[in-house]
Amino acid sequence: MTPAPIIVTALLGAADQAFADKLRRAHYPAARNHVPAHLTLFHQLPPASGPELATRLRAAVAGRAPPRARIAGVMRLEAGVALSVHSPDLAAIRDELADGLAGLLGAQDRAGWQPHITIQNGVPAREAKALFAALSAEVTARPLHIAGLASWAWRGGPWEAIGSTRFNGRG
């Protein structure tokens, strides 16, 4: 199989995943909606980093309680809308991983991280503005359960699961 770039995401708890997926199915352009709602930590790691990444992800969750997180509200993207996520705990985990993977990170992953779950993207500005207004009135800040971390191979369509690991410590 052809090597593919690796994406790393936070795994959402079942109820939060269902909530975000429902919004994404309703508002993301169907022709391009190939993946479930997700919270990306790293956008593109080299295929050869897979074994090292798996070790680092297991170490990042081992004995650690799920990071406290919350949906902070709705945010505008250039051509869409996302749920803004606030989690200093998850940011610290991402920073630890980024330090260990520093030589493997591309420009996008070296830039500042703004955690979010994309609900809509690639639409005309007026459509994004309307959804932003509607969701801003509906979505209130609330806890978000982060269950673990996962890695995925990206070959241009649906992602292929590589592996996942769950937080197993007590909070």
Side-chain angles (χ1 to χ4, degrees):
M1 188 168 287
T2 305
I6 299 173
I7 298 164
V8 178
T9 65
L11 292 174
L12 306 180
D16 291 318
Q17 186 68 54
F19 170 73
D21 279 340
K22 181 179 177 183
L23 287 173
R24 188 172 169 101
R25 279 190 308 273
H27 303 292
Y28 205 96
R32 293 192 324 272
N33 193 13
H34 302 297
V35 299
H38 54 278
L39 173 53
T40 303
L41 275 71
F42 298 101
H43 295 87
Q44 187 172 347
L45 294 170
S49 67
E52 178 183 354
L53 179 62
T55 299
R56 290 184 183 282
L57 293 180
R58 281 192 303 275
V61 302
R64 190 178 242 159
R68 291 173 306 224
R70 66 183 173 90
I71 294 173
V74 181
M75 66 185 276
R76 284 286 309 268
L77 303 175
E78 270 187 48
V81 176
L83 300 175
S84 175
V85 174
H86 178 76
S87 179
D89 293 346
L90 186 58
I93 292 167
R94 187 196 180 276
D95 288 347
E96 289 171 20
L97 288 167
D99 287 347
L101 299 167
L104 304 173
L105 300 181
Q108 185 176 15
D109 289 325
R110 286 191 310 269
W113 183 56
Q114 189 173 23
H116 64 278
I117 301 167
T118 302
I119 300 304
Q120 177 191 65
N121 204 9
V123 300
R126 70 182 182 292
E127 189 176 333
K129 184 177 179 181
L131 181 60
F132 176 78
L135 288 182
S136 292
E138 293 176 25
V139 175
T140 58
R142 66 184 189 91
L144 177 68
H145 179 65
I146 305 295
L149 303 175
S151 58
W152 311 85
W154 182 71
R155 289 179 167 64
W159 296 348
E160 298 170 21
I162 296 173
S164 65
T165 185
R166 298 196 174 258
F167 292 99
N168 58 15
R170 302 280 181 231

